[in-house]
Amino acid sequence: MIVGNGAVAEGAGAIIDAADFVVRFNLSRNTARSGRRTDAVAVCNTGRPATEMLDGPEWRDSAPVRAACEIWSVRDPEKFASLRPQLAVSHPELDDFCDDRTEDFARFAAENGKRHRVIPALVHAAADAALAPHAPGAYVVPSSGLVTLFQVLTEPEFAGAEVVMAGFSHEGWDGHPFAAERRLVASLAAAGRIRLMDASSPSLFPPSLSPSQGA
């Protein structure tokens, strides 16, 4: 289960908690409805989100982080360092976007008996390549949710697993190509590579089907 921070259906928590492995994101703000099980917390390990999590007690002391056995840093440090010069020209307001806190997350994980892994730049590149046919337009980077999805789909550890996404609205910061991500995720579901949990009921179905038609 890959659980975003968006809306989930009432009753979805029990299904999510029954999964073999649950990944949540950053501050995991929807755990009241989306269950309690957390095996990994995927984090934005650069810029303001990283600082917000690391420098305050809310993230460190949250139930999902305490429960997780792994912390996943979504942003490869070398990849984001390479973005800094071009962003200085195209998006000067993102002057701290590439500030790297990966080692701080690694230290936190080690101090708390958790595994730390960095999602490699090759996974980020695979997400970029998969977005290209879906008319993403100009964007800064794919969302953490999409990069994490591609990590799960390409990681041998999860080979053969049924991958379910819940809590994703594909809306938010305009630096992510959310409309294209929605189309890409729909195409992956239609091809049978993932399943989606409906936000209005805890059914699992491809987006081409209505909830009443879904499996």
Side-chain angles (χ1 to χ4, degrees):
M1 294 291 311
I2 303 175
V3 184
N5 289 321
V8 297
E10 185 174 352
I15 297 173
I16 291 169
D17 283 347
D20 295 317
F21 198 91
V22 177
V23 185
R24 300 183 190 271
F25 293 86
N26 295 327
L27 293 168
S28 307
R29 297 189 186 278
N30 65 354
T31 50
R33 290 180 67 96
S34 66
R36 300 180 185 277
R37 177 164 185 165
T38 307
D39 296 280
V41 177
V43 297
C44 292
N45 49 299
T46 70
R48 296 170 199 172
T51 297
E52 179 182 359
M53 286 182 279
L54 287 166
D55 293 354
E58 181 182 3
W59 181 81
R60 292 172 177 270
D61 296 338
S62 67
V65 171
R66 291 198 307 270
C69 56
E70 303 188 14
I71 302 295
W72 294 7
S73 289
V74 173
R75 296 174 170 178
D76 181 276
E78 292 186 8
K79 167 68 176 179
F80 274 71
S82 72
L83 292 176
R84 190 184 292 273
Q86 66 192 65
L87 289 178
V89 176
S90 63
H91 294 79
E93 71 279 8
L94 299 180
D95 57 316
D96 62 350
F97 185 75
C98 299
D99 290 354
D100 182 39
R101 301 291 303 272
T102 306
E103 288 304 316
D104 295 319
F105 281 108
R107 186 177 305 107
F108 170 84
E111 290 172 351
N112 290 275
K114 304 178 190 297
R115 177 185 181 187
H116 177 255
R117 65 170 105 185
V118 179
I119 297 181
L122 285 175
V123 174
H124 186 126
D128 282 328
L131 281 166
H134 297 279
Y139 65 96
V140 179
V141 291
S143 71
S144 294
L146 191 70
V147 174
T148 298
L149 171 62
F150 272 77
Q151 168 70 7
V152 171
L153 291 176
T154 58
E155 171 61 54
E157 179 180 340
F158 301 110
E162 181 181 43
V163 178
V164 180
M165 296 185 73
F168 287 90
S169 64
H170 304 291
E171 298 175 339
W173 181 51
D174 61 9
H176 298 320
F178 278 121
E181 290 191 10
R182 184 183 297 108
R183 292 189 287 270
L184 172 55
V185 166
S187 72
L188 292 170
R193 295 193 65 191
I194 64 173
R195 300 184 78 186
L196 305 178
M197 181 176 285
D198 182 29
S200 59
S201 75
S203 302
L204 305 179
F205 60 97
S208 57
L209 302 177
S210 71
S212 62
Q213 296 171 308

